[in-house]
Amino acid sequence: MSAGARDEGQRIDNFLLKQLPGVPKSHVYQLLRSGQVRVNGGRVKAERKLSSGDEVRIPPVRAADKAQVARPPDAVLNRLRAAIVHEDEHYLAISKPAGLAAHAGSGVPYGVIEAVRAWNKYDFIELAHRLDRDTSGVLLLAKSRPALLRAQRALKHGEAEKRYFALLIGKWRGEDRDVDAALVKSRLQSGERRVKIDEDDGKPSKSRFSPKSRYRDATLCEVQIFSGRTHQIRVHALALGHPVAGDTKYGEREDNKPLRELGLKRMFLHSHFLKLAPEGDFPKLILNAALPDELRDVLDRLPRAR
């Protein structure tokens, strides 16, 4: 098959995942590692970016027929339509609900991108970034390859401003705190993904925690991240001794018990602000997503600090 103009600049792994619906992601990466995928006759790595006209050779694989790929329920499609916070000629922004993945994956039949594509409204639509499944808030999608690359550049090089609200366990001492700690990903034998601080092998990561409301046993912080690493806020918060409330992966069950009793049924992490600076023909973009009612209700029930 040939890469078209819409595929210009797209990584080969993402191109394959789109071309092979229903094929497990792990199998796609195994095909790349083993050299079974060729571009213009040569072996390529996952990060290779395509140019229009590139010839891509894919070995025979048993892919689910597109008609058999899980279609998100109408209730999900309608919920996401109601969650649109911004749309223009270049971008679509949705306030993603917690519990819904950004995209399909192992054991996850569909996510936001599959649902938006099921609207059958856009010729081109791609995720500009990701949010953890349990994180709510601003999720940006691009309507063209140039818009996608503009957003990805800004996010990769720290030129985008990203702010979250996070309820942290414990009393916060003082004011703003920065965490500048490299992070590395790993997988347990069970397949569970974990992230830890590792200054030798990790990728540079920086977060700034600013307290906004203080409660008896918790603190609401606004968190600005200057990099976009997996689980960054969650691991940096843990390093400060204040894990994110409701975080079952990095937090302690006993710490979260009082909050569960107050109605917290999810991780209290919400992406509320994203800003992209103007670039070329693209104007400045400012996006906001209000804190969901289920999180506001928890704050209303929390005893205030004395």
Side-chain angles (χ1 to χ4, degrees), residues 172-177 209-214 219-222:
W172 189 269
R173 305 297 180 188
E175 299 301 325
D176 293 6
R177 294 192 213 171
F209 293 78
S210 304
K212 296 299 178 184
S213 297
R214 300 172 193 259
T219 307
L220 180 68
C221 282
E222 184 180 53

Side-chain angles (χ1 to χ4, degrees), residues 228-287:
R229 310 301 180 201
T230 300
H231 299 173
Q232 176 174 327
I233 293 175
R234 299 162 69 180
V235 177
H236 281 178
L238 180 65
L240 288 171
H242 297 280
V244 176
D247 188 347
T248 57
K249 185 185 291 286
Y250 298 104
E252 294 292 338
R253 184 176 180 84
E254 285 305 307
D255 290 338
N256 284 311
K257 185 177 179 181
L259 289 162
R260 288 197 303 273
E261 293 172 350
L262 289 176
L264 184 62
K265 299 178 180 178
R266 49 162 287 202
M267 182 171 63
F268 200 121
L269 186 57
H270 176 76
S271 171
H272 82 95
F273 181 86
L274 174 63
K275 176 181 175 181
L276 298 182
E279 179 186 314
D281 294 331
F282 294 103
K284 178 172 63 178
L285 182 65
I286 298 178
L287 305 170

Side-chain angles (χ1 to χ4, degrees), residues 155-228:
L155 292 161
K156 180 179 180 180
H157 298 297
E159 297 164 357
E161 186 175 337
K162 297 177 288 182
R163 296 178 183 269
Y164 292 69
F165 284 130
L167 184 68
L168 305 186
I169 300 291
K171 292 182 179 180
W172 189 269
R173 305 297 180 188
E175 299 301 325
D176 293 6
R177 294 192 213 171
D178 286 357
V179 179
D180 196 344
L183 301 176
V184 65
K185 290 187 288 187
S186 63
R187 285 193 181 274
L188 305 179
Q189 287 187 339
S190 63
E192 181 185 1
R193 184 172 56 177
R194 301 281 293 195
V195 176
K196 64 180 181 180
I197 293 175
D198 188 325
E199 296 298 345
D200 293 326
D201 299 323
K203 294 182 178 179
S205 308
K206 182 179 178 180
S207 308
R208 176 168 296 150
F209 293 78
S210 304
K212 296 299 178 184
S213 297
R214 300 172 193 259
Y215 301 90
R216 189 179 65 195
D217 301 309
T219 307
L220 180 68
C221 282
E222 184 180 53
V223 188
Q224 182 174 2
I225 60 173
F226 301 91
S227 49

Side-chain angles (χ1 to χ4, degrees), residues 37-71:
V37 176
R38 302 288 177 118
V39 175
N40 300 330
R43 297 174 61 151
V44 292
K45 294 184 177 181
E47 58 270 22
R48 161 68 185 273
K49 293 184 178 180
L50 294 172
S51 298
S52 180
D54 280 348
E55 289 296 325
V56 181
R57 193 193 76 187
I58 305 173
V61 291
R62 295 188 63 182
D65 189 42
K66 286 191 177 182
Q68 297 176 331
V69 175
R71 182 183 185 276

Side-chain angles (χ1 to χ4, degrees), residues 15-27:
F15 175 82
L16 294 175
L17 291 168
K18 188 174 180 180
Q19 295 296 323
L20 302 173
V23 175
K25 183 183 289 188
S26 59
H27 185 57

